[in-house]
Every structure is written in C-alpha cells, then in structure tokens.
Amino acid sequence: MKKRKKWLLFFAGAVILMLAAGLWLTSRGAPAADLSAFRQTLEELEPGTELKSLPEAAAGIPGMILAAQNEDLALYYNETTAEVAVSDKRSKHIWYSNPSERNEDTIASPFEKEVLSSQLAVSFRDQIGTLETYHSFPWSVTSKNFTAEAIKNGIRITYTLGDVSLGVDALPQYITKSRLQEKVLSKLDESLANYVETRYYPTKNNPEVLERLDEQVKKPLVLKKMLSAFEQAGYTAEDLAADNAENGSAAGGESTKPSFTIPMEYRLDGSTLLVSIPMHQVTESENHRIASIDLLRFFGAAGSEEEGYMLVPDGSGALIRLNNGKIREEQYVQQVYGPDPNDNSWGRGQVAEKAAMPVYGLKADDAAWFAVIEEGDAAARIAADIGGKQSSYNYVYSSFAVRGEDELELYTGSKIQEIKLLSEELYRGNLSVRYSFLTGGDASYSGMAKAYRSMLVQQNKLTPLAEEQKLPFYVDMLGSLDKQKSFLGVPYDAVISMTSFQEAGDIARKLSEDGISNLRMRYLGWFGKGVHHKAPVSVKADRVLGSKKELSQLQEQLQQSGGGLYPDVAFQYIYRDGAGFNPSSDAARFVTREAAELHPYDRNMNRMDPYYGSYTLLSPAKLPYYVKEFARNYENYGIGALSLRDLGSLVSSDYRVGRVVFREDAKHIAVSQMKLLQEQYPDVMVSDANAYTWPYVNHILDVPEGTSRFSLTDEEVPFYQMVIHGYMDYAGQTLNIGAEQDIRHKILASVELGAAPHFVWSYEPSSLLKFTRFDDMYSTQYEDWYEEAVTYYNRVNEVLGPLRNTPIDEHIRHQQGVVEVKYEGGTSLLINYTDKPVSVNGVKVEAKDFTSGGDGA
C-alpha cells in the first residue's frame, strides 16, 4: 500500500513538473532579436580643428566668415549669433538659418525675436512632469556657452543650453567656523563680513560646523551679494569642493538646474547641405529628461512680402500658401509615418491622412529649398506655420521626439489627474536632414518631386519599371473571415467563406475573357481563420476556401494570363492570443508598461471601441522571429508573391523595461524583414506604404489620393505619385468601399494620379457580413460592380497604359478643377473636373472629362 502511494506521489509530481514545464514553454514567448543589429553604429565624433575664415575671391556675407565651400555651395557662419547661411553659387541665392531682418520685425515680441534667432530648441520635463522649452539663442548663445570648430566640409557648433551657474550651490552648504573665518571673513571689510556670517548658523550636532540658511540665501538679492562677497574673498571652486567633501554636503559643487549639451553639424555634400545632431553625444542634467528637439525652425523662412508656398507631406502632399491670412488657424503638425500606435489613450482628436514621406520644402518667389529627413525620420514631426501670428515669417521644419511619452491617469475620488510620463531611455542614433536648393523652373513642388526622385534613384531605392503597355487591375478578394454563430443557443466563432479559391478563379477567368489580363489579386483571409488570422507562425489554408491544390491552380491561372496572386498576411497586429503568441511576452509595452492591447477606432466617437473587437501590437523585437517562421511555412505553397498588410505602413515603438525599441529602431527592423521577404518572394505588394518601403515593393495599394484638408493648408497635390510613377505600379483606395462612389469622378482622379483601378470583391453577397467586424464592407459582391469595373479599366488603361513606365515631369493646376499632368517625353494629360468645358493652351476639354496631347501623345 505504501509502495503504491509512493508511486502515485511520484506520478503526480511528474505530471505537475510536465505541466509547469509546458506552461513555462508557452509563456516565455518568441525569441527577441538582438536590437544592436538594427541600430546605427555609434561612432566617435570627427575631431574638430580651429575654425578659421577661408579665403574667397569675391565679397562674402557681411558679419559672417566663410567656413566651407565646394563647387556648388558656400557655407558661412556668424561667430556672434551662431547662425549660418548657404550661398548657392549657381543662382547666387542665399539661404539663412535665421531671418536676417528678424530684429526689425514689427510683429515679433522680444521673446519671439529670441526664438527667431535660435537654431534649435530643446523641450524637456522635470521630475514632476513639468514641460519646459529652452531655445538656443537665449539659453546658450547670449551667454556665450557655445563653441564652434571646423570639420571636413563644414562646421560643428556645440551648444550648452541652460543656466550652468551653480547659484546657491556655489556657496558651501556646511563649513567650519575656522574655514569660514580663514577663507572668507578675514578678507572682507567688517560690514560685509558680518553680513556673510549672519547667513550661516551653528548646526545642532556640532556648533563648530556652520550651516547655510537657505531660506534667506536663496532670495535673489541676498544670493547676489553673498556670491559677490565669496568672489571678492577669493573663494575658489577647489575651496568649495574641499568644504563639501569635509562636511558631507550633498551639493557636490554641481548645478541642479536644467542644462543640456548638444552638438550640431553642418556639412556641404555636393549640391546639398546635411545638418545633423549625433544624439549619442548629447548630455542632459540630472532629473531633466529631453522629450524633443526642434531643428532649424526658421531655415529659409519667407517674409511677409514674398510669394510662394510651403510643401508638407500630408497624404499625397499639400501646399500652404505664404501669408495666406489664416492667422486664427492652428499650425500644421504631423508625425512622419503616422501616429505611433503604441499609445494607450482611448481618444483621438481627429482622423487624418498619414504623412508617408519624410519631406518638406518652401518656395519663395523664384527660388526654393527642399528637405529630406534621412536619419531619425521615424521619430520626426513636421510642422509649419504662416506669417502674421507670432512673427512675420512663414516657416516649415522638423522636430524629433527622442523619448517615448504617454499619459498615466490617477483617480482620486471623483477627480482624474493626468500625469505625463517619459521613457527612461534616450534615443541615441543620429538625427539628420538634407537640404537641396532649387531655382528657376525647378523651384516648384514639381521640381521638389523630381529632386527627391533623382535622389532615390541615385541611392538605388527606385528602379524603373519594365516596359508593359497594360495597366494592372487590382482586386482585393475577400476570402475567409470569422463570424459568430450559435448552436442550440450557444454562441461560437465560425469561419465562413466569402470567396473560395475556385470562385476566385471563375472571376479571374471572366475578367480575362473581357480583355483584362494584368490582374493582380490580393487574397484577404486565406489562412489562420480568416482576415483577422492567428499569429503567422503556422500557415495552413482555411478549409472553407478549398484545398492547397486549388490555391496553386489559382496562382497558375493568374500567372498564365499575365497577372499574379498575392496572399495577404498581417505581422504587426495580432488578433488572436495563443497559436505561438503570448501577449505578456510578445506584445509591445506602453510607456506605462502595460501590454499594448488596442481596439479599432469609432470615427463617430473619436475613440477606441471594444465593440469592434481588440488586437495586440507585436513588439518589433519579435518581428524577425514571426517573419522567419511564416516564410519557412509559406514556402511550401510555391507562390513567389506576397501581400504585406501592415509591414509597410506601421511603425510602432516598444517601451518594455530593459528592451526599449524606438520607432527608428522599429523602422530598421521592418526594412530588414521586407528585404528578406523580397529576396524569397520577388513580387511584393504592400498597402499604404511608407517611403522607406519603396525599394522592396513592386505594387502599392491604398496610396494617398488626397490630404487631411487641415484648415491651414490651401491645395492638394499628388507629390507621392509624382515621385514613384514609372518606378512601381500603384492604386488608390477601393472604389466600391469608400467615400467617393462617383465612377466618372474616380476615372478623372485615376488619370490625374496615374493610378490603376482597385476594387474589393467577394463572390458571396455582402449581406453575409452583417453582424461581423467587417460590416463596413457593405458593397463587395462582384456582380454588382463588374460591368462598371471593366468600363473603368478600359477607359483608364487606354491613356495610362502607354505611360505606365514614364515618370511625371510636372503637375500644373490651371484653375480650380482643371489640372495638367506632363510626362517625360512630352505627353500631356488635361483633366477637367468642372461642369463646363474649358480650354487650356488652345486645347478644349469637355466637362468632367480628360484629353491627352503634347509632343509624346
């Protein structure tokens, strides 16, 4: 009996150990990537040398020295104000880092003139979360707390911002009677010595040691007189350190005031100016954390008499006219690549288009400059404002969030207290912006687009399309999805089919018979229980759609007709726990250290709504593991193409303690994984693509077709399309599920934007989507749209097909609703959105129609 009990106990123990081991294995999560592999290599600063004025043949800029020059540009520096100027030798135009006539501005207050004189600004929080901003001119330059040195092709200016004086801590907190008498009192006249002596009082434990009476000494007038007395007595920093060490003072001879050291480098690089801040060399005082850094807010700022506009990357691109009079409107501010989804706030102030490109620029009269954020772009915000508010100047610039920031809500009775939190770790990569300078006919948003495109081509980030005279026809095929059903009154989640593999093949065959051969089919919901699939570590096609053989047959059918199949996968939004995903280990963390569980946003309420379900944000550190596992299993299907739902559009951070992933790190991780996937699957399709994805994709869906229409902006321009046309195929939002349902207007927009048709279809009726999380797809049944879609395609393909691999040269808005798009080679397209015929350059365009002409037509 006892032997049997022993065996039972042994067996029970073994079972418990096995369960514990299993629990440990399932809860530890996926392995995290080594973040150092994706971060910039932190190099020592290039040694600087003494800054001397270079000789120049012609007269330079008054008050400035020539610091560097090359064949195209000359860089000047003001040794008193720390401002710089760039002279374009080709056009003789000079661009200043700060407005040259700012001190004569009749609108700007004395404070605003100090802001106008600054090259950078630092926003920081103290221990209790109070936010302050220090501008470089009042907090560094005026007190001469900056240095300048020469570097290769440029200069480095190192700013120390803040009050670096010790203040009250320049006086010993504790000092012996004998030391005070010897070092200070004996060297002052009787009246002043008595004044100093009464500000020190014997300590309780040792009357021979005196303590500083801070309540009196911290008063400004008292402090000024005390500091003067100690200085007059010859009391040195060494004396202070000795007294602090002898008496155990906590002051340590160091200031507790906010103080920051920031090096800023200007380098001439061919016909461009590269401005950078090496963040690994930035220092901050104890208990003061930098939140963000504004870089060259007023570079090339335009005054009240100049005409032109500022380009901002809102959606497809937007223009803000100089001095447009909208002085009551808020300034333009957008985060590059969209807001960080790692945000625990439920509300959203507005629904806006994304800024998918790290670019901005300004045109003033017959000259323009254009900026590209090359490093730190995922941490950047782009801001712009017009003259007539705080000053007479129009300006656009970039600001960088170098720490994560979030809100913590504390409930005290019926009140809610919001506390702002910053992440502990500071971003240590480089921040850099490249400025290009344009004149004449290139001084326009079209010229900026060409400059950006040329830059990307030179960097091998854009490759011309192969010749193909037919435009793609894009269709998102809605496959499987989850829908709640019930059995005997008990609810359960079922997977239903909206379009099986065989039904998708029938639709493709019908389109091919009607002359649409270049069909590009993105299959939404094909594995892992539908569109909101499980974590993509295992890849098994959903049975409700058909067999693996039928999926292969669909792929072969599309390839043979000249198109392609793109099975879709989401990596960064995880809709289901388990199946290789553990939220506690694999999810990103808010700054508040909670796991990043989110809900879709209800636009009516401007807040997240749990009614629509939830999803978890994957930590970017875990992305390489999931991509590797997916690719290993997906390879079994033999499909050389892939659709990436969120990998090209989403950039998120992770503030897990001990493994902070900044957005810039996350961008580099995403890029590395896209590169790996493209090497395995050469034909890649992405949705809502950010600019850093362009080198790795062949097709882009959901490109921005307009802007957020912020109150400050004046005009929408297709800047995004002007950069990429001729280098990749793309389409806008789906026609049948969207705000714009006018097929005629949509055709005109496609012609203007150079975009291919895009639909989302299902074989089954849309009514099956009722009471699911997809009920916003209210019109997907393909038969309802088929005839219109074929007509749409044929009309657009007729004009855009021959131009598919031709870059856009210029976009011109002749009047409201009438635009012209010029292509390299001479072809010109005229689009008339108005209700009346118009004549442009002698060519008549009927109402709500378009025509082609020009030398290349």
Side-chain angles (χ1 to χ4, degrees):
M1 191 69 176
K2 289 182 179 180
K3 190 174 182 180
R4 184 181 178 187
K5 284 183 177 181
K6 286 181 180 180
W7 277 107
L8 286 173
L9 288 171
F10 174 79
F11 179 74
V15 170
I16 291 171
L17 286 173
M18 290 175 64
L19 290 173
L23 182 62
W24 178 78
L25 287 170
T26 57
S27 64
R28 65 176 180 170
D34 178 8
L35 296 179
S36 63
F38 305 100
R39 287 179 171 165
Q40 299 170 354
T41 302
L42 304 181
E43 299 177 352
E44 292 295 323
L45 289 183
E46 172 193 334
T49 59
E50 182 182 356
L51 181 60
K52 297 179 181 179
S53 180
L54 301 178
E56 52 184 328
I61 302 176
M64 291 187 163
I65 65 170
L66 178 62
Q69 65 176 332
N70 59 24
E71 186 177 336
D72 297 323
L73 305 174
L75 177 65
Y76 291 85
Y77 171 67
N78 188 312
E79 295 176 291
T80 304
T81 63
E83 62 190 299
V84 302
V86 178
S87 175
D88 189 339
K89 296 180 179 180
R90 301 161 299 180
S91 65
K92 310 303 181 186
H93 194 93
I94 299 174
W95 298 100
Y96 292 90
S97 62
N98 306 86
S100 58
E101 299 179 355
R102 57 190 178 274
N103 291 324
E104 285 72 49
D105 190 350
T106 57
I107 296 178
S109 66
F111 169 76
E112 286 299 330
K113 288 179 180 179
E114 291 183 332
V115 175
L116 285 167
S117 300
S118 299
Q119 292 81 46
L120 60 84
V122 176
S123 295
F124 63 94
R125 292 190 184 276
D126 59 18
Q127 281 182 299
I128 61 174
T130 304
L131 182 68
E132 288 189 68
T133 300
Y134 280 2
H135 295 88
S136 61
F137 186 78
W139 287 102
S140 177
V141 175
T142 55
S143 56
K144 301 188 184 303
N145 288 325
F146 69 99
T147 61
E149 53 190 342
I151 55 177
K152 185 179 180 181
N153 300 322
I155 58 174
R156 177 188 301 123
I157 304 171
T158 302
Y159 299 88
T160 300
L161 293 88
D163 185 355
V164 295
S165 66
L166 294 178
V168 70
D169 288 327
L171 307 173
Q173 186 176 6
Y174 298 98
I175 186 171
T176 62
K177 283 183 179 181
S178 58
R179 284 275 297 177
L180 182 63
Q181 180 64 36
E182 175 193 352
K183 293 293 183 180
V184 182
L185 302 182
S186 63
K187 299 176 182 180
L188 304 175
D189 61 55
E190 183 178 353
S191 174
L192 188 54
N194 184 60
Y195 185 89
V196 171
E197 188 175 17
T198 57
R199 268 66 188 176
Y200 278 89
Y201 195 81
T203 58
K204 292 181 179 180
N205 297 333
N206 186 356
E208 292 302 314
V209 177
L210 304 177
E211 181 180 3
R212 188 180 66 209
L213 298 178
D214 282 356
E215 287 188 8
Q216 292 186 30
V217 176
K218 285 185 177 180
K219 295 175 181 178
L221 292 177
V222 177
L223 177 60
K224 184 177 180 180
K225 192 170 182 178
M226 291 285 286
L227 290 172
S228 177
F230 273 70
E231 183 180 0
Q232 181 181 331
Y235 190 81
T236 65
E238 291 76 14
D239 293 330
L240 176 63
D243 287 320
N244 285 334
E246 180 182 355
N247 299 293
S249 171
E254 297 180 0
S255 175
T256 58
K257 300 175 183 179
S259 177
F260 311 97
T261 302
I262 300 177
M264 186 171 171
E265 298 179 341
Y266 301 87
R267 280 188 171 88
L268 299 181
D269 185 9
S271 59
T272 66
L273 171 69
L274 184 64
V275 183
S276 59
I277 295 177
M279 286 298 298
H280 62 289
Q281 297 293 330
V282 169
T283 65
E284 52 190 359
S285 54
E286 189 177 358
N287 300 325
H288 300 98
R289 296 180 184 174
I290 299 176
S292 63
I293 297 177
D294 296 351
L295 182 64
L296 291 179
R297 179 183 296 191
F298 296 100
F299 183 90
S304 57
E305 301 300 319
E306 294 175 281
E307 295 183 358
Y309 49 75
M310 293 172 282
L311 170 75
V312 292
D314 176 24
S316 62
L319 304 181
I320 303 172
R321 297 286 173 186
L322 303 182
N323 309 300
N324 64 16
K326 299 178 181 181
I327 59 175
R328 297 187 182 277
E329 304 298 341
E330 292 185 1
Q331 72 168 343
Y332 164 88
V333 180
Q334 262 190 310
Q335 190 161 353
V336 177
Y337 308 139
D340 190 342
N342 189 0
D343 179 357
N344 71 350
S345 60
W346 281 67
R348 283 290 183 273
Q350 60 188 357
V351 176
E353 292 289 336
K354 184 175 66 174
M357 302 168 288
V359 301
Y360 54 98
L362 185 148
K363 170 182 168 59
D365 296 333
D366 61 348
W369 59 264
F370 174 66
V372 179
I373 307 172
E374 292 194 337
E375 294 177 292
D377 43 319
R381 291 187 294 265
I382 294 172
D385 213 345
I386 60 166
K389 293 183 177 181
Q390 285 79 24
S391 73
S392 300
Y393 294 97
N394 306 265
Y395 57 91
V396 56
Y397 69 100
S398 50
S399 175
F400 299 87
V402 293
R403 270 194 171 91
E405 186 166 359
D406 216 331
E407 269 184 9
L408 180 65
E409 293 184 346
L410 294 181
Y411 293 81
T412 55
S414 59
K415 296 182 180 180
I416 301 177
Q417 183 180 3
E418 294 179 348
I419 298 177
K420 292 288 187 179
L421 298 177
L422 288 176
S423 62
E424 292 280 348
E425 194 171 331
L426 178 70
Y427 174 70
R428 288 297 183 181
N430 291 330
L431 310 176
S432 63
V433 180
R434 185 179 298 275
Y435 294 84
S436 301
F437 307 99
L438 312 170
T439 56
D442 287 331
S444 65
Y445 63 87
S446 296
M448 294 178 191
K450 287 191 288 186
Y452 188 32
R453 183 173 65 226
S454 176
M455 192 181 300
L456 295 173
V457 170
Q458 290 176 6
Q459 296 169 354
N460 295 317
K461 292 181 178 180
L462 286 180
T463 305
L465 285 170
E467 291 190 18
E468 165 65 55
Q469 294 300 308
K470 282 198 172 183
L471 207 62
F473 181 95
Y474 293 105
V475 59
D476 293 347
M477 198 60 71
L478 192 57
S480 57
L481 53 90
D482 58 298
K483 182 175 183 178
Q484 193 173 83
K485 294 185 176 182
S486 63
F487 178 73
L488 299 177
V490 179
Y492 68 97
D493 288 332
V495 179
I496 66 170
S497 170
M498 293 298 295
T499 312
S500 69
F501 300 141
Q502 186 174 346
E503 290 164 345
D506 293 340
I507 296 172
R509 191 174 298 107
K510 188 175 182 181
L511 287 168
S512 180
E513 291 169 355
D514 285 326
I516 299 178
S517 57
N518 192 4
L519 173 61
R520 304 290 167 170
M521 182 183 292
R522 176 170 69 158
Y523 219 106
L524 298 174
W526 65 279
F527 81 102
K529 296 189 176 181
V531 177
H532 289 175
H533 57 72
K534 297 183 290 185
V537 290
S538 63
V539 183
K540 185 177 181 181
D542 291 331
R543 286 184 297 175
V544 296
L545 300 177
S547 65
K548 180 179 177 181
K549 181 180 179 180
E550 288 173 320
L551 180 61
S552 298
Q553 289 173 342
L554 174 62
Q555 178 222 1
E556 292 172 4
Q557 176 189 340
L558 289 166
Q559 281 187 331
Q560 288 172 3
S561 64
L565 175 67
Y566 302 83
D568 183 70
V569 58
F571 283 108
Q572 301 190 83
Y573 282 161
I574 307 296
Y575 293 93
R576 303 169 188 270
D577 296 348
F581 175 79
N582 186 293
S584 64
S585 301
D586 300 327
R589 296 275 177 164
F590 299 135
V591 173
T592 56
R593 302 183 182 180
E594 306 160 273
E597 182 180 4
L598 304 167
H599 310 279
Y601 282 92
D602 186 334
R603 293 195 174 192
N604 297 313
M605 302 294 292
N606 278 342
R607 60 184 288 113
M608 290 192 295
D609 191 343
Y611 171 78
Y612 294 103
S614 65
Y615 52 90
T616 305
L617 191 62
L618 180 71
S619 168
K622 301 299 182 82
L623 181 61
Y625 169 79
Y626 284 92
V627 169
K628 178 182 177 182
E629 289 300 304
F630 173 83
R632 183 172 61 84
N633 289 286
Y634 182 66
E635 193 169 349
N636 297 327
Y637 287 84
I639 301 174
L642 185 64
S643 165
L644 304 174
R645 189 188 312 172
D646 57 22
L647 193 54
S649 62
L650 189 68
V651 191
S652 68
S653 54
D654 179 10
Y655 297 106
R656 181 180 292 270
V657 176
R659 195 190 66 218
V660 173
V661 185
F662 293 100
R663 270 171 59 100
E664 185 72 2
D665 302 330
K667 181 197 75 174
H668 288 299
I669 293 172
V671 166
S672 69
Q673 300 313 298
M674 291 192 72
K675 185 177 180 180
L676 287 172
L677 288 170
Q678 189 207 35
E679 290 172 354
Q680 291 183 259
Y681 313 105
D683 196 2
V684 176
M685 178 184 290
V686 296
S687 175
D688 190 23
N690 293 325
Y692 58 80
T693 70
W694 292 346
Y696 313 103
V697 304
N698 307 83
H699 305 269
I700 302 178
L701 300 184
D702 304 323
V703 299
E705 300 172 288
T707 70
S708 309
R709 299 188 178 182
F710 294 123
S711 299
L712 192 68
T713 60
D714 297 294
E715 185 178 332
E716 298 179 343
V717 295
F719 190 89
Y720 189 106
Q721 290 82 357
M722 293 167 70
V723 176
I724 67 171
H725 193 279
Y727 292 85
M728 61 189 73
D729 291 309
Y730 58 89
Q733 300 287 329
T734 53
L735 174 62
N736 52 319
I737 304 294
E740 181 58 69
Q741 297 272 310
D742 184 342
I743 190 78
R744 197 169 182 180
H745 183 278
K746 198 71 177 179
I747 288 174
L748 298 180
S750 284
V751 172
E752 180 186 358
L753 302 178
H758 181 201
F759 292 84
V760 55
W761 281 352
S762 65
Y763 192 88
E764 299 293 340
S766 306
S767 58
L768 287 179
L769 299 175
K770 287 183 178 180
F771 309 114
T772 73
R773 288 178 286 186
F774 307 93
D775 57 7
D776 58 337
M777 294 185 177
Y778 46 81
S779 180
T780 61
Q781 216 282 328
Y782 87 99
E783 291 181 336
D784 297 337
W785 288 92
Y786 187 84
E787 296 301 327
E788 279 187 307
V790 172
T791 301
Y792 181 122
Y793 176 80
N794 289 332
R795 186 85 198 279
V796 172
N797 181 61
E798 182 180 358
V799 63
L800 291 182
L803 298 171
R804 174 178 164 271
N805 64 342
T806 306
I808 296 175
D809 185 65
E810 189 176 9
H811 179 271
I812 305 169
R813 194 174 303 280
H814 290 287
Q815 66 184 63
Q816 188 64 34
V818 179
V819 297
E820 180 178 6
V821 183
K822 293 183 177 181
Y823 284 80
E824 292 183 2
T827 299
S828 181
L829 303 181
L830 293 168
I831 301 99
N832 178 15
Y833 289 95
T834 71
D835 295 327
K836 296 179 180 179
V838 296
S839 180
V840 179
N841 299 328
V843 178
K844 184 179 180 181
V845 189
E846 297 297 333
K848 293 188 175 181
D849 203 356
F850 66 89
T851 187
S852 61
D855 299 335

